Amino acid sequence: KFFSKKKFSFIKTHTYFNEKHINLVKKHNVKIIFCFRDIRDVMISRYFHILSEKKHWQHNEIVNLPTKEGFLTSLTSLKNYPLETKENPIEEYYNWVFNWLSFKDINNHTVLWYEDYIKDPTTYINKILDDLDFKEFKAINIENKLNLMRKKNTKLKLKSKLSKLGKSVSTYREGKSGTWKDFLDEETYKKFISRSE
């Protein structure tokens, strides 16, 4: 309701699936673009974020554990969690994505996958521009600007990026797709799958 009627506006958010958010979408008839990522890479990225963020509720529990043990613990442990919940992290993330993907009662929505962006950034950005009916912008120009921003941040460690203020905070780590193949050995992968079922 606070958006300017004279300017393009957007919200980038990690929105949980619940009735309140669905009703807001319907009420204001906004366009929604869902951007999902392979949950295996998401959970590995989350693990490294926890290690870099000392204030995270799981940090003290996993920081001194061996890598594979720390990763598996980060998937399921609710020790020190500040809120009451029945879902551990892997369940929460899985249900979050599954519920949005299963929900068909929203008009004006597009589903995109981060892995497609990695394969072909221009095509991915063009899908967004087409969906929003933006003829004023060129995908290649947007991707070039994104590349410049990423290059500025490559020398900073994740810990430094997370401690910035306001809009300058960056959660960007490596942004690679398929890192789970190198990170998870066969035994750890089987344990990961068993925890996500």
Side-chain angles (χ1 to χ4, degrees), residues 6-171:
K6 298 177 183 177
K7 297 178 182 179
F8 296 128
S9 302
F10 75 95
I11 300 172
K12 176 190 174 290
T13 181
H14 296 91
T15 307
Y16 286 96
F17 179 90
N18 66 36
E19 196 173 339
K20 174 186 168 187
H21 296 135
I22 292 162
N23 290 337
L24 278 170
V25 168
K26 289 179 176 177
K27 179 180 176 183
H28 297 286
N29 195 32
V30 295
K31 287 199 172 194
I32 303 293
I33 298 174
F34 295 110
C35 299
F36 296 113
R37 185 180 180 195
D38 186 318
I39 196 166
R40 295 166 292 193
D41 286 329
V42 168
M43 299 315 288
I44 292 167
S45 181
R46 178 183 181 273
Y47 168 70
F48 283 109
H49 275 78
I50 295 166
L51 293 179
S52 298
E53 194 175 343
K54 289 183 180 179
K55 292 181 181 177
H56 192 282
W57 60 273
Q58 279 189 326
H59 178 83
N60 289 335
E61 182 181 6
I62 68 170
V63 70
N64 294 317
L65 294 177
T67 303
K68 299 300 188 283
E69 186 184 344
F71 170 69
L72 291 170
T73 301
S74 77
L75 298 176
T76 55
S77 176
L78 288 171
K79 185 180 175 183
N80 302 320
Y81 192 68
L83 304 171
E84 275 191 40
T85 182
K86 294 177 182 175
E87 288 185 324
N88 62 44
I90 185 68
E91 290 172 328
E92 179 185 358
Y93 276 69
Y94 176 85
N95 290 331
W96 188 347
V97 172
F98 179 81
N99 288 333
W100 278 120
L101 282 174
S102 303
F103 191 68
K104 307 296 182 196
D105 194 24
I106 298 180
N107 296 323
N108 299 329
H109 78 280
T110 300
V111 174
L112 298 172
W113 288 88
Y114 178 73
E115 289 72 23
D116 293 331
Y117 172 74
I118 296 298
K119 286 179 199 166
D120 187 351
T122 308
T123 299
Y124 183 96
I125 294 168
N126 270 324
K127 284 182 185 175
I128 296 171
L129 295 176
D130 290 344
D131 188 58
L132 299 175
D133 200 27
F134 279 160
K135 310 278 188 242
E136 301 87 346
F137 307 103
K138 292 198 181 299
I140 191 68
N141 294 341
I142 293 171
E143 178 56 18
N144 288 339
K145 285 183 181 179
L146 290 170
N147 272 327
L148 283 173
M149 289 167 63
R150 282 192 288 264
K151 281 179 185 173
K152 282 183 185 177
N153 276 327
T154 50
K155 293 177 184 174
L156 290 175
K157 291 189 175 184
L158 179 60
K159 190 175 180 181
S160 302
K161 295 179 200 175
L162 291 170
S163 62
K164 288 184 171 184
L165 298 173
K167 290 182 181 179
S168 62
V169 171
S170 172
T171 59

